[in-house]
Amino acid sequence: MQDKYLALTPPMGWNSWNTFSWEINEELIKTAVDAMVSEGLKDAGYEYVVIDDSWSEKQRDKDGKLVPDHIKFPHGIKALADYVHSKGLKFGIYSCAGTHTCCGHPGSFEHEFDDAETFAEWGVDFLKYDYCYKPDNIPGEILYKRMSTALRNCGRDIVFSACNWGNDNVYKWIRESGAHMFRSTGDIQDNWESIKRLALSQIGNECYGGNYCHNDIDMLVVGMYGGSINQWINSADTAEGDVAVMTDADKVKSEPRLGGCTDEEYKTHFSLWALMDSPLMIGCDIRHMTPATKNILTNKDVIAINQDIECRAPYCIKQWNNPENVFSLVKPMSDGSYAIGLFNFGDREGEMSLQFWDIGLTTASGRGLDIYDCWEHKELGTFTERFCTVVPPHGCMVLRAKVVKVK
Ligand code: GLA
């Protein structure tokens, strides 16, 4: 049953968690589905609509089956999946490798095969599988292998999105488990420091991603501007790797705190995730996007870099005189061109000079690069030996560079 092309390239979609957290319901999800289509996200390649934690009742039924929350989802999950499918999109759901989800709903521990069958019956196409309340004496590796086997034998093609936050050396065993993507980081927060920290944490781990099993740096915060139900999770003082284990008391106690980024920072965030081959799961309220948000999320030149069929992760070249802040990511594309991101993590303008011999192109070869700017959508001309520019603070340039003869 397994479709051999499942998650050939990084999955793209929308997930309810970043903005709505536990406040999800059928009407909300349906309007998000409608927005996926009407706002051009579907046309841009976003495919999965994923409901995150808190979609079920707190108890299984007498037969041990998961039960959709009857107030939030009065028509059940199958009806919602049918709606998603009727719009030409795919439907994703959430469960957990432990006994409970992070919000305290039933997890799939020791129910893996039954739950996989339930998901298949409901028409689920994607499962995000979290790591809260994992029994200490069982290796996570085994639990992800269990659910992967269950999904591969449930009678339906279901993308398996592992979410153990990079714990337990996940890089070493996740591909062999059969998962299609794996979270390598703690939860993202809607602020520049978090974006920076998550991206930097995966520089050096490029070799672990690739076709059919993608390194997931977490969902996008592009376009959130601090607007999240659970801003306490998104606050700057939540340490990376912290897990959102919420009791009802936590929810009451949680106070909104300021978060959010500038459009320049969101553009940099999107460029980093795209170039680093992360799945692109939108996390903002797609029913109310600003023009800038829409422009970022639907940039077809940047998305094409992320969706390149070979999924070759980039390598990093640091700017020699400002290595802490300024660097480029260079990703070899399947058509022979390069995708190049020039990033400035510093708080001041950063000069960047990319030497072509550092990316395999010598002057003696008689070749140069025809360079196209993927954010300005314009040709910049033919360059030999090097490309120099100034990158704004927290900003970036994303280039597509084609090798051409210059003599
Ligand atoms: C964990 C995950 C998040 C989200 C929440 C839901 O923190 O990492 O992405 O799914 O659980 O409770």
Side-chain angles (χ1 to χ4, degrees):
M1 185 65 198
Q2 177 81 13
D3 175 347
K4 69 177 168 153
Y5 295 124
L6 219 49
L8 173 65
T9 58
M12 295 171 63
W14 175 82
N15 176 301
S16 57
W17 180 257
N18 280 359
T19 297
F20 300 103
S21 307
W22 48 85
E23 298 282 342
I24 48 173
N25 62 64
E26 182 179 301
E27 255 333 286
L28 165 73
I29 304 300
K30 281 167 94 171
T31 54
V33 171
D34 295 346
M36 284 277 277
V37 179
S38 63
E39 298 302 306
L41 296 170
K42 180 184 170 204
D43 286 345
Y46 296 92
E47 194 178 11
Y48 294 93
V49 174
V50 183
I51 56 171
D52 209 279
D53 205 345
S54 298
W55 59 266
S56 77
E57 293 286 352
K58 287 269 169 88
Q59 301 292 335
R60 291 173 178 269
D61 71 9
K62 62 175 176 22
D63 301 321
K65 286 201 181 287
L66 290 167
V67 184
D69 183 308
H70 71 283
I71 294 174
K72 291 177 176 171
F73 297 97
H75 299 97
I77 297 296
K78 177 153 189 349
L80 184 59
D82 288 348
Y83 186 78
V84 175
H85 294 146
S86 76
K87 302 286 173 178
L89 294 164
K90 291 186 172 158
F91 177 69
I93 208 165
Y94 164 101
S95 188
C96 187
T99 57
H100 292 83
T101 72
C102 304
C103 286
H105 296 258
S108 291
F109 178 70
E110 303 272 88
H111 291 271
E112 291 86 355
F113 285 80
D114 288 345
D115 288 355
E117 263 180 24
T118 301
F119 296 145
E121 279 162 23
W122 287 347
V124 167
D125 307 295
F126 179 109
L127 175 68
K128 175 173 170 183
Y129 207 50
D130 219 332
Y131 211 48
C132 282
Y133 299 105
K134 182 190 81 72
D136 280 345
N137 55 353
I138 300 194
E141 180 179 346
I142 294 295
L143 297 182
Y144 282 95
K145 283 180 172 161
R146 267 195 213 173
M147 188 45 112
S148 175
T149 305
L151 290 174
R152 282 166 185 263
N153 293 280
C154 72
R156 191 175 170 88
D157 288 335
I158 300 183
V159 167
F160 186 28
S161 163
C163 177
N164 86 331
W165 321 304
N167 285 345
D168 304 334
N169 227 345
V170 65
Y171 310 96
K172 302 285 180 179
W173 48 265
I174 198 65
R175 178 171 287 275
E176 73 201 34
S177 80
H180 298 102
M181 53 195 263
F182 63 97
R183 268 280 292 284
S184 52
T185 63
D187 288 9
I188 195 166
Q189 301 149 14
D190 181 19
N191 62 63
W192 171 244
E193 284 307 312
S194 173
I195 290 169
K196 213 164 100 172
R197 195 162 56 222
L198 262 51
L200 287 175
S201 77
Q202 293 313 304
I203 288 181
N205 285 341
E206 291 81 2
C207 59
Y208 299 112
N211 299 102
Y212 308 112
C213 187
H214 306 276
N215 183 341
D216 174 9
I217 321 178
D218 202 0
M219 301 168 295
L220 300 165
V221 293
V222 176
M224 287 180 65
Y225 303 106
S228 166
I229 299 274
N230 68 359
Q231 287 181 34
W232 66 280
I233 288 176
N234 289 326
S235 68
D237 57 1
T238 307
E240 216 58 65
D242 272 6
V243 180
V245 180
M246 277 159 286
T247 61
D248 286 339
D250 281 333
K251 292 177 203 169
V252 175
K253 271 191 304 187
S254 68
E255 287 174 14
R257 293 187 193 156
L258 292 179
C261 299
T262 65
D263 287 332
E264 186 74 29
E265 291 165 343
Y266 285 139
K267 190 178 109 184
T268 303
H269 165 37
F270 191 70
S271 305
L272 284 161
W273 266 233
L275 266 150
M276 294 174 79
D277 292 353
S278 177
L280 299 176
M281 302 301 290
I282 300 171
C284 69
D285 184 351
I286 52 178
R287 305 164 310 164
H288 305 289
M289 290 185 287
T290 64
T293 297
K294 205 160 141 179
N295 187 42
I296 293 171
L297 293 172
T298 60
N299 184 325
K300 64 177 178 13
D301 294 321
V302 176
I303 291 173
I305 293 170
N306 178 261
Q307 292 294 305
D308 186 65
I309 196 106
E310 287 190 7
C311 293
R312 291 194 189 275
Y315 51 94
C316 180
I317 299 176
K318 294 191 170 165
Q319 172 65 11
W320 66 276
N321 56 354
N322 192 359
E324 291 305 306
N325 294 318
V326 180
F327 63 93
S328 45
L329 292 178
V330 182
K331 175 178 156 80
M333 299 289 283
S334 52
D335 66 357
S337 67
Y338 298 99
I340 302 172
L342 310 175
F343 295 95
N344 178 9
F345 279 7
D347 298 332
R348 300 196 181 148
E349 281 191 340
E351 284 183 18
M352 158 55 88
S353 54
L354 181 68
Q355 318 297 321
F356 294 170
W357 53 83
D358 280 340
I359 62 173
L361 204 65
T362 59
T363 311
S365 69
R367 263 81 171 165
L369 292 177
D370 265 2
I371 294 187
Y372 173 82
D373 185 322
C374 296
W375 283 109
E376 296 300 320
H377 303 292
K378 65 172 193 218
E379 302 288 348
L380 301 183
T382 305
F383 295 78
T384 52
E385 282 191 61
R386 60 195 204 140
F387 180 78
C388 300
T389 191
V390 174
V391 188
H394 305 187
C396 73
M397 247 183 137
V398 176
L399 311 171
R400 186 76 181 252
K402 199 168 154 232
V403 178
V404 289
K405 284 191 180 164
V406 287
K407 59 177 183 201

